[in-house]
Amino acid sequence: MNAPRVDGSFAVWGGVFSTFDCTMVYLRQKEDPWNSILSGAATGGFLALRQGMGATARSAAMGGVLLALIEGAGIMLHTVLEKNQNQAIMMEDPAAGMTGLPGPEAEGSSSSSVGSWLGGWFGKGKEAEAAASSGSETTILESFDAPPVPTYDYK
């Protein structure tokens, strides 16, 4: 029956850490990994104040090191995933050697529905639907103001 005690200790640690983290963001006017590292050190030291100055210093050092490892792992993971995401995927035409699948049109062919795949069932329907439109249409918001993507680059 140690779970309630551990849960309570973790909740207190999380609350104190969040308090220090928000304070660091306010004081430094920056949102970067140093806030978490300093907050981890401050939290470790604050929660060990009752055991004396030696324990406070050790807990502060351990809190800072632990959060530095967590933040470093997060930065490395972000860098690796970003690098993989930005690589161009070079893929050959998958339908080149397969019969029965639509491929790129020949240079001399026109865009008629007679020679298209499935006899033009899909191409002509869009033109007729556009002509019969009532005038109201749903569009995607292109002017959506998204927040800037955070970067972990040190300057």
Side-chain angles (χ1 to χ4, degrees):
M1 294 300 290
N2 212 12
R5 190 176 336 168
V6 172
D7 292 347
S9 296
F10 188 74
V12 168
W13 194 93
V16 172
F17 175 81
S18 294
T19 302
F20 279 121
D21 194 36
C22 291
T23 303
M24 293 294 173
V25 170
Y26 177 76
L27 292 176
R28 298 182 67 230
Q29 294 295 311
K30 287 184 188 177
E31 183 70 45
D32 60 1
W34 285 108
N35 292 337
S36 296
I37 295 169
L38 294 173
S39 299
T43 300
F46 181 77
L47 293 178
L49 274 173
R50 293 187 299 168
Q51 282 91 27
M53 292 308 286
T56 299
R58 284 190 300 274
S59 291
M62 287 304 295
V65 167
L66 178 67
L67 265 295
L69 289 172
I70 292 171
E71 288 293 325
I75 291 170
M76 283 186 354
L77 183 65
H78 175 75
T79 303
V80 168
L81 291 178
E82 184 179 291
K83 190 182 302 181
N84 288 341
Q85 187 177 16
N86 289 338
Q87 288 179 350
I89 298 175
M90 299 305 240
M91 192 171 153
E92 295 179 19
D93 184 19
M98 302 177 77
T99 59
L101 290 178
E105 288 188 27
E107 292 177 14
S109 68
S110 65
S111 62
S112 67
S113 65
V114 175
S116 67
W117 194 49
L118 292 179
W121 288 347
F122 300 110
K124 293 292 181 182
K126 289 181 183 176
E127 293 172 6
E129 183 180 317
S133 173
S134 65
S136 65
E137 62 181 48
T138 305
T139 59
I140 297 173
L141 292 176
E142 294 180 4
S143 64
F144 179 70
D145 295 329
V149 177
T151 61
Y152 295 101
D153 299 333
Y154 292 106
K155 295 177 180 154

